[in-house]
Each structure stands twice: as structure tokens, then as C-alpha cells.
Amino acid sequence: MAVSEGKALSLNCTVDSQPKPMPNSYEWKLERDGKVTILSEKSPYLDLGSASGDNTGNYTCTTTIQFSDGVVETETASLAVTVKTAPKIVNKDDNTVNAKVGSTAVLECKGEGEPDPQFQWTNSTDGDIENSDRFMIEQKVDGSVLVISTLTISSVSNADYGIYRCTATNDVGTDTFQVELKARSKPEAPKDVKLVQGSSSIVVEWTPGYDGGDMQTFIIEYKNLETKYQDKVAGIKAGPGLRMNHTLKGLNPKSEYQITVIAVNSEGNVPAAPSTVKTDAAPKAAGQTGSNGGVIAAIIIVIIVLIIVITVLVVFILRRKKAQRLAQPQK
């Protein structure tokens, strides 16, 4: 049974028997890509709604019949369902391929559909591309769904650079995809460089630009603008995600640094605009006070000591005078 995508799809499991099958004894199964799924429907009617590619597979209906003498039998019927779907190209984000002059370039177009789509490659200058001494088109099935068409261009020349169009077609519809063949180049400069300073470290953040069609790494050059000391960190590999970061450590506190992030590939290197930042002051140790606070504390201590000394002297003098008066004879 074949049905076009979007059309109403329902299956009916009819058993011509006496007695009739037991109520709610129907079991529906779907076998697809080697996996069996038991469906929830318990009646002889299976409504699948609007047909989609996920409905393709082999459906089995099983029901139970109980005769008056107590004998129980099961009846099973199967039906293969194919939902025709228009081609869909699934790698449209892979829209750039880079190659040097004289090298080999491989362009891929990955699609799915039922029946399997057929592919046609064209370019903006020569129209339809056919197999030749430098151009080779191959098609293969990857798994049970995906079909891959590969255009291989040998000994790439400057005339080969440009836009290539892949068209996938079956008897339901078509889909198209454009990919640009470009010369391998230097990478783009890193973008949106941001610096977050500490007292002895700086966190450098940036967004990688286009890699020029080659694996790129990054260099961070840093220079103390006061002492003129400079150094660099090389070989920083691009990681997952859109943003990258690296922490420079062992820097001087309260010092201004110039930071430059550089993108590097086999074709050359391109720096971002230099950025400057001043590191923070070194944190104070626990219990440590500033120089002014230490002077004030010392003055207070000296004053307290003087007060104590003066008080002791006054008391001593008063007591001595009193002792002298008591020692004089009475008239």
C-alpha cells in the first residue's frame, strides 16, 4: 500500500469469522528499520491521521477468537505501508568547501525521500555537470533513509571556483541546495575580544572567525606596557561552542597590558585589533592595614603610653609630698 505524504491514512483489520473476535483483543504492531513498536489501539480500526514518512513500515494486526467449546485461536494479518515523501536535503548548513588550486575538492549533497531521490549537479558557468576526466558524480545509500550524492573535482583550477547547485528529485517533488567552492585562504580575524582582569591574571575571551577552509589555532600575545616585558601563548585549539577563552597568569598587579589575539592556519595568520587593560591591585593579607592606618595606630599607642607615664609620675609626686607632711613634727 502506497500513500502520498499528507493524505489521510487509516488501516482496517477485518476478520470474517463466527464467532466474531473478542472485544478489545486487537493488537497492532509496526516494524520499521528492524524495530518493532506495539501501538496503543485495541480496535480493528487504526487511524494514523495525515501520512508522514514515520508511518512507513510493516503493520501487523493480531486478534483473538474464542469458540463455544472453549477453544481459542488467533488470527494475524500484515500490510506493508509506504508513504511517499518529497526529497529533503539535510546538509544545507554545509554550504562552503575550500580547496587549493591543483588539489581535489569534494562536494556533498545529502537527501532523504520516498522513493529515493535522484540528484543533478549544475554550476553557474557550465550548466549541468556530467562525469568527465576531472568531474565525478557518485550516489550511495547511507543506512535505510539517507542518500548521498558526491561531486568530486580533481585538479581544481581558478575557473572551478563558484556556486554549485544540487537538485534532488523524485516523483513527489524536488529540493535544491547551493554550495560554494572557494580558494583556501587565511582565517578571518578573531571577533569581539573581551578582557576580564584580576590582580595577577587576565581572562581573554573571543569569537573565532571563518577558518579559511583549514584547521585554525590561536595565539595570544601580551605585553606589559610599563616594563616592556612581552610573551605569547601559542597553539590554542578551537573548542566546541561559539566563544573561546584563555587565562593569562603570573602577571604584575596594577600594570597595564596590551593583548592581541591572532588566528592562524596553514595559509597565514590574522590578528584582531590590540586591546589594553590594567590589572587590579594585589589583595591585602588578612589583618594587614594601610600605611596611614599604621602611623595613626602608632601615634595613639605613644599618646596612651605618655598618659600612663604622666599619671604614674603625678601619683608618685603627690604621695611623696603627703609622706613629707606626715613626717614633720607637730607644733
Side-chain angles (χ1 to χ4, degrees):
M1 175 183 179
V3 60
S4 295
E5 186 176 28
K7 299 294 185 179
L9 176 59
S10 62
L11 305 178
N12 194 10
C13 185
T14 302
V15 179
D16 185 12
S17 68
Q18 287 296 334
K20 299 294 184 183
M22 297 172 61
N24 299 320
S25 68
Y26 291 85
E27 181 181 71
W28 289 90
K29 295 180 181 179
L30 168 62
E31 183 178 357
R32 175 181 170 86
D33 299 331
K35 180 181 178 181
V36 177
T37 302
I38 298 177
L39 307 179
S40 60
E41 185 60 56
K42 298 297 182 182
S43 75
Y45 181 73
L46 178 63
D47 184 6
L48 297 172
S50 296
S52 69
D54 291 338
N55 298 134
T56 293
N58 191 62
Y59 290 82
T60 301
C61 168
T62 303
T63 188
T64 303
I65 302 170
Q66 184 172 14
F67 294 91
S68 57
D69 58 0
V71 175
V72 176
E73 293 183 357
T74 58
E75 294 289 338
T76 300
S78 296
L79 177 66
V81 175
T82 299
V83 178
K84 291 186 175 182
T85 59
K88 179 181 179 182
I89 296 174
V90 299
N91 66 321
K92 291 185 177 181
D93 289 338
D94 303 330
N95 56 7
T96 302
V97 173
N98 294 81
K100 291 182 177 181
V101 170
S103 67
T104 297
V106 178
L107 285 63
E108 285 190 331
C109 188
K110 301 179 180 180
E112 55 189 23
E114 180 60 46
D116 287 346
Q118 298 299 309
F119 297 86
Q120 177 64 55
W121 287 90
T122 60
N123 64 19
S124 56
T125 56
D126 301 326
D128 291 351
I129 298 174
E130 304 294 341
N131 287 334
S132 66
D133 57 341
R134 291 201 309 113
F135 291 82
M136 176 64 69
I137 299 175
E138 298 176 296
Q139 183 167 315
K140 66 179 181 179
V141 177
D142 184 6
S144 61
V145 177
L146 196 63
V147 184
I148 302 175
S149 178
T150 302
L151 171 60
T152 302
I153 306 173
S154 303
S155 301
V156 171
S157 68
N158 286 320
D160 296 326
Y161 295 127
I163 301 296
Y164 290 77
R165 179 187 294 269
C166 169
T167 302
T169 305
N170 65 11
D171 57 9
V172 182
T174 62
D175 195 13
T176 60
F177 160 59
Q178 289 191 163
V179 56
E180 183 176 8
L181 178 61
K182 300 171 65 176
R184 188 170 291 179
S185 62
K186 293 181 181 180
E188 291 181 350
K191 304 173 183 177
D192 193 22
V193 177
K194 293 185 178 180
L195 307 177
V196 181
Q197 78 278 10
S199 60
S200 61
S201 65
I202 297 174
V203 178
V204 185
E205 299 180 353
W206 71 95
T207 299
Y210 176 60
D211 60 11
D214 192 13
M215 184 184 72
Q216 67 175 334
T217 58
F218 298 90
I219 297 173
I220 298 178
E221 293 182 345
Y222 59 100
K223 179 179 181 180
N224 187 319
L225 296 179
E226 299 167 10
T227 66
K228 306 305 179 184
Y229 172 81
Q230 58 185 11
D231 202 350
K232 65 181 179 181
V233 179
I236 303 172
K237 296 181 179 180
L242 297 177
R243 292 288 286 173
M244 293 188 63
N245 67 79
H246 184 84
T247 302
L248 302 173
K249 300 179 180 180
L251 307 181
N252 296 336
K254 297 182 68 176
S255 298
E256 190 170 16
Y257 283 87
Q258 177 178 282
I259 311 294
T260 304
V261 183
I262 305 169
V264 182
N265 70 8
S266 62
E267 299 297 315
N269 60 78
V270 180
S275 303
T276 59
V277 69
K278 189 171 185 178
T279 52
D280 297 334
K284 297 175 181 178
Q288 181 182 352
T289 59
S291 59
N292 290 338
V295 172
I296 294 173
I299 293 174
I300 292 174
I301 293 173
V302 171
I303 293 173
I304 292 173
V305 171
L306 288 174
I307 292 173
I308 293 173
V309 170
I310 293 171
T311 302
V312 171
L313 287 174
V314 170
V315 171
F316 175 77
I317 293 170
L318 292 175
R319 286 183 176 179
R320 185 174 181 182
K321 288 182 177 180
K322 183 177 179 181
Q324 289 176 348
R325 287 199 301 269
L326 293 175
Q328 289 179 355
Q330 299 292 329
K331 293 182 178 181

